[in-house]
Amino acid sequence: MDRDLIEKYFNDQCSEEELEQVLEWFQTDEGQAFLKQDMEREEKRLAGNNASSSFSEVESKELFRRIQKHKKKVNREKWWLLWVRAASILLLVTALSSLVYWSGIIFQKSKKNAPSYKTYATNAGQQKVLTLSDGTKIRLNEQSSLRIPRQFGVKDRKVKLKGEAYFQVAHDKGHPFIIEANRATIKDLDTQFDVKADSAAGKVQVAVIRGRVLLKKEQKDSTGRTASAILTRNHLGILQLSDSQITIEKGGARNYLSWKTHRLVFKGLTL
């Protein structure tokens, strides 16, 4: 053991690492022998009135008591640090476990509450006929899609259309049938009608065969107004999404169903 380090110990100048090193060495046979020899030399110096030792006068019992006191102090500090570390780890694990647990519950709850949809789609040259749970009949034109909630009719009757479809709605005044199509909303008022959402041309057109239909743009313009119109039998409404203008044409609405009927009808018109 380094003599300078031992002198630092007796002068209370050791760092925690050095203190631990000296105390551990004192527990060895070599350290015990050093302490015994050092105390014997100290006694001889005191008996012969020699010059003072570089160490303070300390009785053997007091020296050992001091060593044990330091040792216990270091051990207590070690155990306290270990306990704090263990408690911190346990707290961290508990927090992470709680976070994972509650995140799972929130995720499952949000997943459970999230609406579930079913989408019907057609390819080129293909049409599809659907009958919904409320009795509404829909014919989907080619290259079109219709998204319907799996719990359709529980709270409302709302579908989303891309492309073109013909609707024969089972009217229910308490639960209006609503179609969302390319930033426009079409609401049935006891009717049969055709809806075409033309994204390329930036317009939505509605041809009413029977009854009434409400055609409305979802978003307001810069002035805070929104375009809307009620269309009746044999009327065609065209909503321009760019300027929110609705044009209404009377007559010839059935010709807009030619994709479904394969017929064009002209009556009282010039060639």
Side-chain angles (χ1 to χ4, degrees):
M1 175 61 65
D2 186 4
R3 180 77 179 184
D4 293 336
L5 186 57
I6 297 174
E7 290 182 2
K8 288 177 66 176
Y9 167 78
F10 285 108
N11 292 324
D12 288 330
Q13 296 176 347
C14 287
S15 63
E16 290 292 333
E17 292 78 6
E18 293 171 337
L19 176 62
E20 180 68 15
Q21 184 179 353
V22 173
L23 291 175
E24 288 181 357
W25 182 71
F26 281 157
Q27 304 302 315
T28 65
D29 293 339
E30 182 183 2
Q32 294 289 326
F34 169 80
L35 289 174
K36 183 178 180 181
Q37 293 175 3
D38 191 70
M39 285 186 288
E40 290 176 353
R41 286 195 299 269
E42 184 68 16
E43 290 177 357
K44 290 179 180 180
R45 290 193 186 97
L46 293 174
N49 293 324
N50 293 331
S52 298
S53 172
S54 58
F55 299 119
S56 302
E57 181 179 354
V58 182
E59 293 184 357
S60 59
K61 292 184 179 180
E62 177 63 22
L63 178 60
F64 278 105
R65 185 195 66 78
R66 180 179 176 186
I67 292 172
Q68 293 301 322
K69 181 179 179 181
H70 277 286
K71 188 67 177 177
K72 290 179 180 179
K73 179 180 178 182
V74 171
N75 287 338
R76 283 197 302 270
E77 290 178 350
K78 277 189 172 182
W79 280 110
W80 184 82
L81 289 174
L82 289 174
W83 184 88
V84 170
R85 290 174 184 174
S88 301
I89 293 173
L90 181 61
L91 182 61
L92 179 61
V93 170
T94 303
L96 289 175
S97 300
S98 300
L99 179 62
V100 171
Y101 174 75
W102 287 109
S103 297
I105 290 180
I106 294 171
F107 174 75
Q108 291 295 334
K109 185 176 180 181
S110 62
K111 185 177 180 181
K112 183 178 179 181
N113 295 334
S116 178
Y117 298 95
K118 187 172 183 179
T119 301
Y120 298 90
T122 54
N123 299 319
Q126 179 188 21
Q127 295 183 13
K128 186 172 291 187
V129 178
L130 309 171
T131 301
L132 304 185
S133 58
D134 64 345
T136 295
K137 295 181 180 180
I138 303 171
R139 180 182 286 271
L140 196 60
N141 199 3
E142 62 176 346
Q143 295 183 320
S144 302
S145 66
L146 187 70
R147 192 183 72 172
I148 303 172
R150 292 188 181 275
Q151 294 184 338
F152 176 80
V154 175
K155 293 183 178 180
D156 54 30
R157 299 189 300 167
K158 184 181 291 185
V159 299
K160 189 168 186 177
L161 172 68
K162 290 183 180 180
E164 186 172 14
Y166 175 75
F167 295 85
Q168 189 174 345
V169 177
H171 185 65
D172 182 352
K173 188 176 181 179
H175 300 84
F177 195 95
I178 298 174
I179 304 160
E180 295 178 350
N182 199 13
R183 292 183 290 158
T185 300
I186 300 93
K187 180 179 179 181
D188 97 280
L189 302 172
D190 186 17
T191 186
Q192 296 178 18
F193 55 95
D194 180 84
V195 178
K196 183 177 181 179
D198 192 341
S199 300
K203 65 181 181 180
V204 175
Q205 69 180 37
V206 178
V208 181
I209 307 304
R210 181 174 65 83
R212 298 178 302 152
V213 175
L214 172 64
L215 173 61
K216 181 180 179 180
K217 187 180 180 184
E218 292 180 352
Q219 297 176 339
K220 296 181 180 180
D221 58 21
S222 58
T223 62
R225 296 176 299 179
T226 183
S228 64
I230 294 179
L231 309 174
T232 57
R233 179 178 177 272
N234 204 27
H235 280 67
L236 173 72
I238 302 175
L239 168 62
Q240 295 291 343
L241 298 172
S242 59
D243 56 9
S244 302
Q245 295 296 316
I246 296 179
T247 303
I248 300 177
E249 298 179 2
K250 184 179 180 180
R254 288 188 177 275
N255 285 342
Y256 288 93
L257 297 179
S258 59
W259 63 270
K260 173 179 174 290
T261 63
H262 304 290
R263 295 179 60 190
L264 289 173
V265 180
F266 301 98
K267 183 177 180 181
L269 299 176
T270 61
L271 184 59

